[in-house]
Amino acid sequence: MKKVLLLLLVAMFVFGSQNISAQDGIKIVTNHPDLKIKVKRCAASGKTVILDLVLNNIGVNDVEDVHVNGGWFGSEAYDDEGNIYQGDALTVKVANKQNYISNYTDDFNIPTGVPIKLSVCIEGVPQSVESIARLKLIFVNSAWSLDRDKPVRINNIPISRD
């Protein structure tokens, strides 16, 4: 009886864990093991979507002179209805620095163990869109060898709407 109960509890844990992972569904590829990114929110109002990310450097050294390109320099987003957002439609901003700009963020640092907020603004998103199928962000940093050939990719980001 104890073996059956234990087996039942293990099965519930395994299947419960799979459901949680399946519900989460967001996949993030940073192209560097020391760069970790979390999606904090993806919210829409009208046709504007704001995506807040938290960057974290888990390495032993601070990383300096990082910037993220906007929609005019290779970053782009695709929604679940097949629309593509580039150019002025996709802008980026670091923490509480300047307003959103299309070209790229000012250079910033990612100290070890210190979270850094990065916001992405996507304009012109139809209200029927439920998720960002893929977000490609061009991070540029020589220490981590990140550039246009090694973009950050985030897939399956659900959009919350009021």
Side-chain angles (χ1 to χ4, degrees):
M1 180 70 173
K2 288 182 182 178
K3 289 181 181 179
V4 171
L5 182 58
L6 181 61
L7 183 61
L8 181 60
L9 288 173
V10 169
M12 286 174 48
F13 176 74
V14 168
F15 291 120
S17 296
Q18 288 176 349
N19 287 340
I20 291 170
S21 295
Q23 289 173 358
D24 200 6
I26 297 174
K27 182 179 178 188
I28 301 172
V29 176
T30 66
N31 278 308
H32 196 281
D34 290 345
L35 176 61
K36 299 298 178 192
I37 298 177
K38 290 183 184 176
V39 176
K40 293 304 277 186
R41 84 174 172 132
C42 184
S45 181
K47 292 186 171 191
T48 301
V49 172
I50 300 293
L51 175 62
D52 288 331
L53 308 172
V54 175
L55 315 178
N56 209 334
N57 172 3
I58 63 167
V60 294
N61 297 315
D62 292 351
V63 176
E64 298 179 348
D65 301 325
V66 178
H67 74 260
V68 181
N69 290 351
W72 284 109
F73 291 98
S75 291
E76 57 192 10
Y78 302 82
D79 68 28
D80 63 353
E81 293 184 351
N83 299 305
I84 302 172
Y85 306 92
Q86 300 169 315
D88 286 334
L90 192 147
T91 54
V92 292
K93 178 175 102 167
V94 175
N96 57 351
K97 291 196 174 197
Q98 298 176 336
N99 293 332
Y100 289 98
I101 56 175
S102 299
N103 300 332
Y104 48 85
T105 63
D106 289 338
D107 282 353
F108 62 96
N109 300 333
I110 307 178
T112 298
V114 177
I116 302 294
K117 181 179 176 182
L118 178 73
S119 293
V120 178
C121 180
I122 306 170
E123 295 286 352
V125 180
Q127 293 186 4
S128 57
V129 169
E130 296 179 0
S131 67
I132 301 300
R134 176 183 279 179
L135 175 65
K136 179 177 89 171
L137 290 174
I138 306 298
F139 278 67
V140 179
N141 177 262
S142 59
W144 278 345
S145 300
L146 294 176
D147 57 24
R148 293 175 75 85
D149 295 330
K150 293 183 181 178
V152 168
R153 285 196 171 91
I154 306 174
N155 296 340
N156 304 319
I157 308 165
I159 299 172
S160 64
R161 293 188 181 272
D162 293 334

